[in-house]
Amino acid sequence: MQTPTSLFFSSLLLLLLPMAHTRSVFRQLLKEINQQYTKVANTDQYANELRAVYRQNMVVTDPAKIAALNQTADDLLSFLQATRKHKELRERYSSIVLEQKKRVEMSAKRVGLQMPKQYEPGVEEQVQSRVDKAFHK
């Protein structure tokens, strides 16, 4: 049989565990957002939006709603971690490290297309000078 004190502490523990998990996920989300968005875009917009969402939902007391919010946060964290890891692996194990133009050309050839020749301003002047020389001698 549980004493009132042990019952109190066990119920308090049950209340604090989801809060500890929520706090842990929040910190991990901030870390991922800082790595992927804040440093790249040089703005705190995404981190501030996350903080605002967490502050807005601090007053929620319905256990089902809290569980749904925690599940959404877990899913978002998994997504952010997976996209970061995918990008790292793609960069690390890319068999051909080429400049963007060459990658596009290779992708086009792979599906049976050819890239159009790009406009170069100097080439047009050279062609025009050759035409002028040929017809205006």
Side-chain angles (χ1 to χ4, degrees), residues 25-27 29-31 33 45-55 76:
V25 170
F26 175 69
R27 287 182 184 138
L29 280 170
L30 275 178
K31 179 182 173 186
I33 286 175
Q45 177 183 359
Y46 300 106
N48 290 337
E49 185 66 28
L50 178 68
R51 286 185 192 101
V53 167
Y54 266 80
R55 283 188 190 117
L76 178 61

Side-chain angles (χ1 to χ4, degrees), residues 11-23:
S11 62
L12 182 63
L13 184 62
L14 289 174
L15 289 173
L16 291 178
L17 282 176
M19 289 181 5
H21 175 73
T22 302
R23 195 171 25 253

Side-chain angles (χ1 to χ4, degrees), residues 62-101:
D62 180 26
K65 179 75 172 169
I66 292 171
L69 290 170
N70 283 337
Q71 184 60 46
T72 302
D74 286 335
D75 293 344
L76 178 61
L77 179 61
S78 296
F79 174 76
L80 288 172
Q81 289 173 338
T83 54
R84 178 181 46 81
K85 289 176 185 175
H86 179 258
K87 183 179 177 183
E88 289 171 0
L89 289 171
R90 228 180 45 220
E91 289 173 359
R92 182 181 301 162
Y93 295 110
S94 177
S95 62
I96 302 171
V97 180
L98 301 173
E99 60 186 39
Q100 184 66 23
K101 181 179 175 184

Side-chain angles (χ1 to χ4, degrees), residues 105-118:
E105 286 177 11
M106 289 182 67
S107 297
K109 286 181 183 178
R110 198 172 297 139
V111 295
L113 300 174
Q114 291 182 352
M115 293 296 298
K117 294 181 180 175
Q118 297 216 349

